């Protein structure tokens, strides 16, 4: 179908955000035969991008990476917003909906060090940097003898800090490293049995205005239904726990032999205690299973567990 007017794609300005926006741009262009010039990128700086000196949990959580894009979308300055799915809060502003997801990338975390081959080989007292409370708690759970410190910034910035000796090691998402062509930096890929990923990790979400049928129709050919099923389960799980950047929560759903399996994990920030459970069943029950996993963990948690 012909494109009557440009579709403006909103994105953050980090290298990874731009790579994700360009992937979306390319997929839409190829699907419809539209020139990329008719799908311009609008780079929007978010509050989360501006905060580099403290954990996001102390500044407001996940919405810090989406607020300004939400405003631009609702005010009509952009037609769609491209997000890392793990950055999306569980509740979106009224008038905005997730149209769907691109095919999911590798969900695993990568261990990166210039001196050590694995997390287990790190010497006692070694410094591991991460901005993720989930990763920090999982590191402390496996290696309580390590020093875990805040490491903010985009992927390239964190790698530069590692090379500069600020930390002995760091953990980054394989999906982001793949999209940036930086997998040569990976020392070891971590098994999801030990490091369950964040909800939405590896998935690109596309948000649109609820009533904008033109944009929804344009996106339909590029959206990936299997990813939508797994993210429906994961986000339902997270919603029950009211998850944000303030709590170490991990969750991952996958399709196995036509069924959906979801695992959920919550931890104390110091890694001293963790609770985990799983469900497997029909894909059509994805949301219900996600809720069941979240409800079970919430029931099992001691008082004050999430606010510790």
């Amino acid at each position: 179908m012909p494109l009557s007017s440009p579709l403006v794609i909103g994105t953050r300005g980090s290298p990874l955000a731009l790579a994700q926006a360009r992937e979306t741009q390319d997929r839409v262009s190829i699907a419809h035969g539209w020139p990329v010039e008719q799908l311009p990128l609008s780079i929007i700086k978010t509050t989360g991008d501006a905060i580099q000196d403290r954990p996001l949990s102390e500044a407001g959580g996940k919405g810090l990476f989406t607020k300004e894009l939400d405003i631009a979308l609702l005010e009509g300055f952009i037609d769609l917003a491209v997000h890392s799915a793990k950055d999306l809060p569980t509740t979106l502003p009224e008038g905005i909906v997730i149209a769907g997801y691109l095919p999911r990338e590798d969900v695993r975390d990568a261990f990166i060090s210039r001196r050590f081959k694995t997390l287990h080989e790190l010497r006692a007292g070694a410094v591991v940097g991460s901005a993720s409370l989930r990763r920090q708690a999982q590191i402390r759970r496996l290696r309580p003898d390590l020093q875990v410190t805040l490491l903010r910034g985009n992927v390239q910035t964190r790698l530069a800090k590692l090379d500069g000796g600020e930390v002995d090691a760091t953990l980054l998402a394989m999906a982001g490293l793949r999209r940036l062509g930086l997998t040569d930096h990976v020392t070891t890929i971590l098994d999801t049995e030990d490091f369950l990923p964040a909800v939405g990790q590896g998935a690109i979400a596309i948000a649109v205005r609820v009533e904008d049928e033109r944009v929804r129709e344009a996106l339909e050919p590029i959206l990936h239904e299997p990813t939508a099923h797994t993210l429906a389960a994961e986000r339902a799980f997270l919603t029950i726990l009211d998850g944000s950047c303030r709590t170490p929560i991990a969750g991952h759903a996958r399709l196995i032999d036509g069924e959906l399996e979801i695992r959920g994990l919550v931890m104390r920030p110091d890694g001293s205690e963790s609770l985990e459970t799983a469900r497997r069943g029909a894909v059509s029950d994805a949301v219900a299973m996600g809720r069941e996993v979240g409800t079970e963990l919430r029931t099992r948690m001691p008082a004050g567990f999430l606010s510790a």
Side-chain angles (χ1 to χ4, degrees), residues 65-115:
F65 283 127
T66 61
K67 179 181 176 182
E68 286 79 5
L69 284 160
D70 290 339
I71 293 171
L73 190 56
L74 290 172
E75 293 184 351
F77 293 111
I78 60 176
D79 296 299
L80 57 142
V82 179
H83 299 283
S84 292
K86 69 178 181 179
D87 289 338
L88 284 174
T90 52
T91 302
L92 302 183
E94 185 176 353
I96 294 178
V97 66
I98 300 172
Y101 306 87
L102 300 189
R104 198 171 197 173
E105 247 290 0
D106 194 330
V107 302
R108 295 173 295 178
D109 287 316
F111 172 81
I112 303 175
S113 177
R114 305 306 185 219
R115 300 170 54 198

Side-chain angles (χ1 to χ4, degrees), residues 10 15 17 24 56 79 86 103 124 137 180 186 194 204 224 253 263 292-293:
T24 305
L56 292 177
D79 296 299
K86 69 178 181 179
L180 291 169
V186 175
D194 292 327
I204 296 173
H224 193 243
R263 292 171 56 206
E292 287 177 9
V293 169

